[in-house]
Amino acid sequence: MQFNLEAITEIALGIGLQLLVIIAAYLIINPIGRKIISRVLHSSTKKQKISEARVLTLEKLLLNIYSYVLIFIFITMIFGVFELEIGPLIASAGVVGLAIGFGAQGLVSDVVTGFFILLEKQIEVGEYVTTAGYDGIVEELGLRTTQIRSFDGTLNYIPNRHLEGISNHSRGTMRALVDIGISYNDNIDHAMHVLQTVCDNFSIDERFVDGPQVIGVQSLGSSDVVLRVIGQTQNMEQWGCERDMRKAIKEAFDRNGIEIPFPQQVTHLIKEKS
Amino acid sequence: MQFNLEAITEIALGIGLQLLVIIAAYLIINPIGRKIISRVLHSSTKKQKISEARVLTLEKLLLNIYSYVLIFIFITMIFGVFELEIGPLIASAGVVGLAIGFGAQGLVSDVVTGFFILLEKQIEVGEYVTTAGYDGIVEELGLRTTQIRSFDGTLNYIPNRHLEGISNHSRGTMRALVDIGISYNDNIDHAMHVLQTVCDNFSIDERFVDGPQVIGVQSLGSSDVVLRVIGQTQNMEQWGCERDMRKAIKEAFDRNGIEIPFPQQVTHLIKEKS
Amino acid sequence: MQFNLEAITEIALGIGLQLLVIIAAYLIINPIGRKIISRVLHSSTKKQKISEARVLTLEKLLLNIYSYVLIFIFITMIFGVFELEIGPLIASAGVVGLAIGFGAQGLVSDVVTGFFILLEKQIEVGEYVTTAGYDGIVEELGLRTTQIRSFDGTLNYIPNRHLEGISNHSRGTMRALVDIGISYNDNIDHAMHVLQTVCDNFSIDERFVDGPQVIGVQSLGSSDVVLRVIGQTQNMEQWGCERDMRKAIKEAFDRNGIEIPFPQQVTHLIKEKS
Amino acid sequence: MQFNLEAITEIALGIGLQLLVIIAAYLIINPIGRKIISRVLHSSTKKQKISEARVLTLEKLLLNIYSYVLIFIFITMIFGVFELEIGPLIASAGVVGLAIGFGAQGLVSDVVTGFFILLEKQIEVGEYVTTAGYDGIVEELGLRTTQIRSFDGTLNYIPNRHLEGISNHSRGTMRALVDIGISYNDNIDHAMHVLQTVCDNFSIDERFVDGPQVIGVQSLGSSDVVLRVIGQTQNMEQWGCERDMRKAIKEAFDRNGIEIPFPQQVTHLIKEKS
Amino acid sequence: MQFNLEAITEIALGIGLQLLVIIAAYLIINPIGRKIISRVLHSSTKKQKISEARVLTLEKLLLNIYSYVLIFIFITMIFGVFELEIGPLIASAGVVGLAIGFGAQGLVSDVVTGFFILLEKQIEVGEYVTTAGYDGIVEELGLRTTQIRSFDGTLNYIPNRHLEGISNHSRGTMRALVDIGISYNDNIDHAMHVLQTVCDNFSIDERFVDGPQVIGVQSLGSSDVVLRVIGQTQNMEQWGCERDMRKAIKEAFDRNGIEIPFPQQVTHLIKEKS
Amino acid sequence: MQFNLEAITEIALGIGLQLLVIIAAYLIINPIGRKIISRVLHSSTKKQKISEARVLTLEKLLLNIYSYVLIFIFITMIFGVFELEIGPLIASAGVVGLAIGFGAQGLVSDVVTGFFILLEKQIEVGEYVTTAGYDGIVEELGLRTTQIRSFDGTLNYIPNRHLEGISNHSRGTMRALVDIGISYNDNIDHAMHVLQTVCDNFSIDERFVDGPQVIGVQSLGSSDVVLRVIGQTQNMEQWGCERDMRKAIKEAFDRNGIEIPFPQQVTHLIKEKS
Amino acid sequence: MQFNLEAITEIALGIGLQLLVIIAAYLIINPIGRKIISRVLHSSTKKQKISEARVLTLEKLLLNIYSYVLIFIFITMIFGVFELEIGPLIASAGVVGLAIGFGAQGLVSDVVTGFFILLEKQIEVGEYVTTAGYDGIVEELGLRTTQIRSFDGTLNYIPNRHLEGISNHSRGTMRALVDIGISYNDNIDHAMHVLQTVCDNFSIDERFVDGPQVIGVQSLGSSDVVLRVIGQTQNMEQWGCERDMRKAIKEAFDRNGIEIPFPQQVTHLIKEKS
């Protein structure tokens, strides 16, 4: 019984060398990766006004994931050096990872969508938006969740992946539109003249960017002839303008004897014997 | 016939060494992993007021999964040492694991969503929320399920993955809104004056954060001119305020002879011979 | 031509050794796995009142799957010992397994959901629940299917994965709510007084946990002023209470000359010549 | 140039041995597998009253698939013995298999669902069920498709995977429910007394399991006070009972001078000058 | 520098042998596979009345796919013989194949569904069916598409995978159903007698399989008492029968002085001063 | 220190040989593949009237993809010859390829669907179709997109995968259908006679393929007895025919004193004291 | 103990050679790949009027991804040279890559759809389109997002993958359509003559491409005979034309004594005793 010392030494040397390479790679790659993650995160979030606290949370999360992945690779490689089968390790990690990945699919989707909403500045805090069935003022923009304050005071938390199409009502002048019905007996030209007079009074209102105009007969309804008035207003002033125009039109019609008709019906009366 | 004892010894030594490394790794990694799971679980749940019992259940579940995975890796590696094919083992485990993983996808999704709802404190026990078509007071927040008590007494169990967007009605002042119709014959200014007087009486009500205001003509309806009153109230006081305002407005209108009109219709009567 | 007996013997010995290890592993792992399955199944179902028959069915199913998987691994390994390619075996099993797995995804999903419904005791036999569009009394809870008896006598079988959110109406006091309209001419205070008197009579009713109260003017309708009465009742007594309250309120209103108005309309009559 | 006959012989012997093992395995496994398929199929379908023809069709299909899979494995293994690359064979089979598997996913899903519907006896031929938007009598239960005959004579073929929740109307007594409106001027107690008398006459009807009862004021409608009568009847007799009760109630009300009111409206008439 | 001719010769011989085996396998498997595809296709389509042209198209498609797959395997194996890496070949083919497979998933799904519709003879050319929101006469049944001719003349092409549940109206007798309202003042027994007389006249009509019967009071409507008449007719005769019955009933009612009432309303008239 | 020139030479020779084979294969396969793509594309599109420009675009796209795949395989194989690890190359390509493949899934689906729509000639340019919620004349058929011109002038671009069921209104005669209500007092036979006379006049109209017929009493409505007239017309003439028939019927009814009744109501008048 | 210098030298040489090849490949492939990306991007976007800034952003993103993939391959290959296990590296990268790929699936889908919308010029900036439930003027076309300005001033951001079918209203003449009801007592021919006269006056209006025409009796409504007028107008002029035609028709009817009727009803009056 003889030990082939030479071969063993050679093998031991090989193992040692490999271990050295692995440990060196770990020591080099670990801090570099951490720095890259931090820097990329900070530089890409600096422009998007994300609060410092949120960035730190995200950074911690990413660094944790990064550490676990690196340690897993490190352990597996050392196993590999001793020529142990690492198939089961990889397979187990893959199955567990995929299972979590499937479940967390929504999370990644949230972050990707959130990133682009921030990048393309689709919405900003304080704007009035409609999206995903919610309607209100944006209170906070996160990478994962957007908070919208409804006008009734409710605070809505919406995962970003549900923001499929965003209607931003705070980007430019808004339209004020009033539809008003007049009787079939009234003269259309007269009514339009009265309406235009009201409109002209409003056109000096600072809230109007483009003075309201009567644009014509919008429809011949079952009980009335509907006329439409349209104007462009300052942002968020459209409702106030519409309310004031409705009041002014009603009063002008009263003064000029133009009727806003109730629903009409023709009844053919047959008296039955009872 | 001669046994090459030397080679066999060498092989046996190699096998023994590998077995030692595997068993050592198992003995080291097993308790460390268990401790990491426990610590991460406790530290990450401490802040979120999750009941101790729930944490223990979750911990037991995770430790069980962890044990099964570890034992599977352990067995497979020992097979690998004896140079047996471990492909079938891994393949079977992978297929079974993926099958379960697909089915349990909803479960992981529940936990991930639940984790973020807790982390971002989107809802807390006792708050009034609307989500996933349910409406009521949150009774319990779990990692997998949220319990909401409807106002009619029903207790709703909702898996967290269905909470796609949460409307939290307990975060700030709420709006009290009353729409009231007046006759086309009534003077709008007079009616708005009466309404504002009612509003002023309410503005000293402690429940109102921002005293109710008449904001104008909301619409020209088919039978009435609709005026709108809006105020900001203490949270959860909005319904009481609205009920009191409706009563007060009705009584003030009665005193001032302002009519809340019934549906109106103009009938053109034609008497047929019968 | 010379047979290298020594090498052949060595190989034969290796093969024999490997076969022995495999057979031993099979003989050890098979009964242990079966016992683990049985024990886990029985211990985890003991608390959830699942019928013995159902547990046996499930056990048999799981043991069958377990046997097939084990036999497949066993055969593949023996092939591996003879250095035959086992790739095709594994690939075929994987493809077939995945195909079945995809199709049976719903089944696993059913069982996982059912397990948590049982574990979290979301519903129990005899409770009145609304879920997945079905409404009725729970007749049986299974791991795969839940049976709900509708009030019209229909028995509904619902796979558990469709139970996305469960409304349990048997967990606490229920609300009795009666909305009642009074005429715009009636005095609101008077009507509320009459209503409160009726409510006070009911508050001594044992079915009421929290005596009914008049809470105010719920809405100003097109034909009536709507008052709301709310009370908390014993579970499942809410409908009886509401029916009795409706009758009592109607009779009290009759006695006090308060009118429950029919739909109202104002008709402006114009006689056309015919 | 010298042929190393010895080595070639050894290799040839090895190849021959492997071929022998493979062929032997094929000859052993093929008939065993076929028998297992047949036996499992017959034993598991014997209890579920599936027609013999259908079982034979299914058996033929399964044996065909089994044969193709086995032959594929057999060919691949022989390739493997000659040390030819079998990767492309496996990869091609995998891709083709997965492509078919994806497309046939619905098929597997049908069979799995159908199997459980049969196993749990959720429906049987001749029962009246509502499922997947179809309503009628079950004509045939298959592993893949269920046939339901609508009451208008239509025969509906529904793949089993669409049976998401089955309402079986043939499992127990059914409810007969009649809602009947009385005038606001009528005395509720008197009307309930008349109704109860009608109910008492029906309680001796054999079709009623639990004699009909007046349960009270179901709602205060816009034109009438709605009273509700409920009874439990033999299965499938509920419609006949309801029709007879409606007729009897109408006639009893006629005899007792209780009015079933038409829609009511109060019209405030204003005569306009024309 | 010396060439080891012996080893090279041996290697060349091995390569030559492998090439021979591969080419032989290709020459044997290619025609066999083509014959199997042709025979399976022809035998399985012979019974389902699929037009010869369609079968030829399908055969050509399948043979093309078969050729490409075989050539790919052939090329890859020859690469393998020269010990070239075939990983990239397989990986590329796999990714491309899966990408196409995903996109063509609907196609496979169409064919599988179509195959079973044909096999189970769920519909045949000329039958009247409702499926996938389309309603009409089947004009052509394909493996991929079904053509349905609507009654308004439109020809609808529907991919088979959208046929989720087929309502076949051409399998058996159909129901003719007429609901008819009578006045609350009319005697129900008298009206039912008149109706039954009309029904008796129809019962000798050849189109009726099961003579129409009056089955009773279907509902107590807001303006009329609704009676229902039901009969079983020859297939596709149900509409004609219903039209004739409606005419006969109307005329019988006229003769017997039974009124089919218009919508009824009670108006409480209050004259306002104007 | 001695260089084993012989072995190195042998290795170098092996590498050279492999490189030669690879380059040769690339040079042979590249032009053949390009020719196959071109020929298949041209032959399969020649019959479907696809514009030459579109085919060229598609060809360029396919040849680009083909080139990139081939170059990738070529590079990887050369790496393989130098015994470098090609795993990372393949894995990276696979992940990137799958990611793109998932995203482009819709694109492949469009092309497959478009191919079959063209192959089965389901629609052609100039036909009037309804599909995917759009309704109009087909302007262009593409492999990826179909353009439909609505009757209001809008041009709709629809990706082919959304064409789930196509209603083609340009394949055969169309139905003209007119429903006409007569008074309950009118004689049905008389009205049907008048209608049939009108129909007979139209039956000589060239637009009618199958002269219009009165088919009977379609329903007993709340205010009128509805009669139905049906005819078969030339394609796209159905609307004109219906318009002309409506006019003719109205005028014939006027001449014959048959009334088309207005909505009817019976009012029971009760005068309240006011 | 003796070092086999020769072998070590050989191995070191081999490693050095491989490292050289890898580094050379990296240095060659890196700049080539970057150039290809830039060139492809610029050439394929030049024709589509995409703003320079957007192209640069996209280029930077692609180059970043390209760098990370290349560096990963580079590192892994160097590990491979030292014969370290690279399995774990690849597996980790694959799992992480797939997880991100799944989440970013929507992003790729956006870009692919956007690319084809640009390539097929389905919409252009300034056009009026309806798509994905949004309606307005296109403000900006991006590879990922399309911006549409609603007529009320709202700016809508829509990810391109939601543009499933685009209705472009700016591609050709538009239809102006006016439906007008006349009394059942009026003569249809006379009314059509008056209408046609109005139409003839409009046919000289420049906005009309194809002068408006009366096309006949569109329907026999419950209260009126509906006539339809259709014309083809310049793009975006359809609403103005319709408004002007409505006004002109109303005035022409007034001049010719043709009535646009109110809703009609026949009331059968029965006076009840009260």
Side-chain angles (χ1 to χ4, degrees), chain A residues 167 169 171 189 217 270, chain G residues 149 154 156-157 246-247 269:
Chain A
S167 296
H169 307 293
R171 299 275 168 95
D189 284 325
V217 179
I270 300 172
Chain G
R149 172 81 61 180
T154 302
N156 304 290
Y157 295 82
R246 276 189 217 103
K247 183 157 176 287
L269 196 73

Side-chain angles (χ1 to χ4, degrees), chain E residues 80-146:
Chain E
V81 167
F82 289 99
E83 297 191 0
L84 294 169
E85 274 285 356
I86 60 166
L89 272 184
I90 296 178
S92 303
V95 168
V96 170
L98 273 182
I100 291 178
F102 263 112
Q105 193 176 342
L107 181 60
V108 179
S109 208
D110 279 344
V111 173
V112 169
T113 311
F115 177 75
F116 278 97
I117 289 174
L118 287 168
L119 187 74
E120 303 185 350
K121 290 187 186 293
Q122 297 188 3
I123 50 179
E124 303 204 27
V125 169
E127 290 191 325
Y128 165 42
V129 303
T130 302
T131 184
Y134 297 95
D135 185 271
I137 303 297
V138 180
E139 281 226 346
E140 195 178 322
L141 283 172
L143 269 177
R144 207 194 76 83
T145 317
T146 293

Side-chain angles (χ1 to χ4, degrees), chain B residues 8-58:
Chain B
I8 290 178
T9 312
E10 208 177 329
I11 288 171
L13 275 176
I15 289 179
L17 188 72
Q18 286 184 321
L19 285 182
L20 272 180
V21 170
I22 290 174
I23 293 170
Y26 179 78
L27 292 179
I28 294 170
I29 290 174
N30 190 9
I32 291 179
R34 299 180 80 89
K35 269 191 191 155
I36 288 177
I37 289 177
S38 293
R39 209 176 300 168
V40 166
L41 204 69
H42 283 281
S43 79
S44 76
T45 54
K46 203 177 287 177
K47 307 161 195 160
Q48 268 81 38
K49 312 178 186 170
I50 302 172
S51 71
E52 193 64 14
R54 186 169 299 276
V55 173
L56 285 178
T57 313
L58 194 70

Side-chain angles (χ1 to χ4, degrees), chain G residues 205-230:
Chain G
D205 189 331
E206 279 194 350
R207 295 177 302 176
F208 276 95
V209 175
D210 189 9
Q213 296 290 337
V214 185
I215 64 165
V217 179
Q218 187 60 24
S219 74
L220 297 170
S222 66
S223 301
D224 49 4
V225 175
V226 180
L227 305 178
R228 175 165 287 185
V229 176
I230 286 183

